């Protein structure tokens, strides 16, 4: 079964939710015009990395973002892995991925499990503890955020066990810096090969006062082959993926059958 994805690789206005909501609405409309099955947004698109002001510009319980994204997905009858937003909770602010179906229903929330100290996330955010598993467009999927991809045991957790053993697509939303964009590509290809799954990864582009971001949003197949890749500019990356390819690869090289978790010691 074919699946059409559209990744919105956008620049993000630093600390300006109003401008970012307007921009994402425009870009979402453009992406939806091509009638994809799923639209993917980047990490922290409402605010960028203006973390020090999240008490002021964060989204209480993500209510604004949920209402906005629910309306867009329902209007365009499209599923969305809608990036992540700064969700203010009673315990602190979380970097939270939001996933919606074509009816505008919130299917999943996943809060970033691994906070990136090089960008001071641990000073302003609290980590999540739940997995990123969900079903979308009829397919078992998983979603993680940026730095999470440096933890292969966390990704593998989403591919094994009763909940994760049928996962076929890994969605990644990010604000990955340009200085390490070679790591971005290498890590994502590795996660696709070792888990024999599709990887659909949406990164931002542009810059803020402290960082330059790498773009290069990418869609990778279960053999590790690059299906589509953006450059460093703002764009909407489109790709078609064939979900059945996951089963073919897993039958060809039965990695999951041949695992010996009983002898793996961490």
């Amino acid at each position: 079964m074919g699946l059409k994805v559209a990744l919105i690789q956008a620049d993000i206005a630093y600390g300006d939710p109003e401008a970012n909501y307007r921009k994402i609405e425009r870009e979402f409309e453009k992406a939806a015009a091509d009638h994809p099955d799923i639209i993917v947004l980047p990490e922290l698109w409402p605010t960028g990395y203006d973390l020090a002001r999240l008490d002021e510009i964060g989204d209480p319980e993500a209510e604004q973002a949920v209402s906005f994204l629910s309306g867009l997905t329902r209007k365009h009858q499209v599923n969305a892995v809608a990036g992540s937003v700064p969700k203010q909770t009673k315990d602190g602010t979380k970097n939270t991925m939001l996933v919606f179906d074509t009816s505008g229903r919130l299917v999943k929330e996943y809060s970033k499990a691994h906070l990136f100290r090089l960008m001071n996330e641990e000073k302003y955010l609290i980590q999540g503890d739940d997995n990123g598993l969900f079903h979308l467009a009829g397919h078992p999927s998983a979603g993680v955020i940026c730095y999470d991809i440096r933890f292969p045991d966390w990704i593998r957790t989403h591919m094994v066990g009763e909940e994760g053993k049928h996962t076929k697509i890994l969605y990644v939303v990010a604000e990955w810096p340009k200085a390490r964009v070679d790591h971005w590509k290498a890590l994502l290809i590795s996660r696709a090969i070792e888990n024999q799954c599709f990887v659909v990864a949406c990164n931002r582009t542009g810059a803020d006062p402290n960082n330059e971001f790498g773009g290069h949003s990418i869609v990778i197949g279960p053999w590790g082959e690059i299906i589509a890749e953006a450059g460093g500019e703002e764009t909407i990356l489109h790709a078609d993926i064939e979900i059945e390819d996951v089963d073919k690869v897993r039958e060809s090289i039965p990695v999951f059958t041949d695992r010996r978790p009983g002898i793996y010691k961490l």
Side-chain angles (χ1 to χ4, degrees), residues 176-186 203 213-216 229:
W176 196 277
K178 184 177 181 180
R180 293 179 295 280
V181 77
D182 54 338
H183 289 192
W184 162 258
K185 189 170 177 179
N203 193 27
F213 298 94
H216 285 271
E229 181 180 2

Side-chain angles (χ1 to χ4, degrees), residues 72-192:
L72 282 180
T73 51
R74 185 170 60 251
K75 175 182 177 181
H76 296 287
Q77 291 289 288
V78 65
N79 302 283
V81 178
S84 72
V85 305
K87 178 182 177 180
Q88 292 177 337
T89 74
K90 60 181 178 59
D91 298 316
T93 301
K94 296 181 178 181
N95 184 348
T96 302
M97 173 186 286
L98 302 173
V99 180
F100 296 83
D101 66 16
T102 59
S103 72
R105 180 176 65 95
L106 178 62
V107 171
K108 180 72 179 184
E109 294 187 32
Y110 163 74
S111 294
K112 192 173 188 177
H114 302 91
L115 301 181
F116 190 47
R117 296 178 186 274
L118 269 68
M119 293 173 73
N120 296 320
E121 289 186 352
E122 83 287 357
K123 295 180 180 178
Y124 303 105
L125 298 167
I126 59 173
Q127 64 192 16
D129 297 317
D130 296 328
N131 68 49
L133 291 167
F134 54 89
H135 274 72
L136 194 65
H139 302 295
S141 308
V144 296
I145 301 172
C146 204
Y147 187 44
D148 283 333
I149 67 172
R150 287 190 181 272
F151 299 85
D153 41 351
W154 181 231
I155 306 304
R156 180 53 63 90
T157 297
H158 292 78
M159 304 289 164
V160 297
E162 285 305 309
E163 281 190 282
K165 67 181 180 180
H166 299 299
T167 303
K168 297 182 178 180
I169 309 172
L170 174 68
Y171 294 94
V172 182
V173 303
E175 291 206 29
W176 196 277
K178 184 177 181 180
R180 293 179 295 280
V181 77
D182 54 338
H183 289 192
W184 162 258
K185 189 170 177 179
L187 288 164
L188 291 169
I189 291 173
S190 296
R191 300 297 85 86

Side-chain angles (χ1 to χ4, degrees), residues 1-4 37 137-139 198 240-245:
M1 179 184 296
L3 193 68
K4 296 177 66 174
D37 297 294
H139 302 295
F198 284 98
D240 295 322
I241 61 179
E242 296 294 334
I243 302 300
E244 291 81 0
D245 289 351

Side-chain angles (χ1 to χ4, degrees), residues 196-216:
Q196 300 176 314
C197 68
F198 284 98
V199 170
V200 177
C202 183
N203 193 27
R204 72 161 288 184
T205 189
D208 67 20
N210 303 304
N211 306 281
E212 187 174 3
F213 298 94
H216 285 271

